[in-house]
Amino acid sequence: VWTAFAPGQMPQINFSTVMGRTYQVETATSLTNWSVLRDNMPGIGGNILFIDNRNLSGVRTVFYRVAVY
């Protein structure tokens, strides 16, 4: 998982996938309270780019993680 964005831009989360697996992108502003941004993303056998288009103005820190099942 890697991110690419500059302050003031929408965060872009990139992650590699495997065919036959399902992925979920989660986010948090602290490392204790995670919420789902997108679920049921099928693996494509390559990279997926997910753009977090929420309004994050006023948010100082944001964390992302990807779950696979």
Side-chain angles (χ1 to χ4, degrees), residues 2-42:
W2 63 97
T3 59
F5 63 96
Q9 294 181 339
M10 291 183 210
Q12 300 178 11
I13 300 91
N14 293 284
F15 57 97
S16 58
T17 67
V18 175
M19 295 283 288
R21 303 300 295 260
T22 304
Y23 297 82
Q24 175 175 285
V25 177
E26 300 174 346
T27 187
T29 54
S30 71
L31 293 176
T32 56
N33 295 316
W34 293 89
S35 60
V36 176
L37 276 179
R38 177 101 184 254
D39 198 8
N40 296 318
M41 300 173 71

Side-chain angles (χ1 to χ4, degrees), residues 40-58:
N40 296 318
M41 300 173 71
I44 59 171
N47 294 338
I48 289 180
L49 170 65
F50 177 81
I51 299 173
D52 183 357
N53 59 7
R54 299 174 299 156
N55 180 354
L56 296 172
S57 61

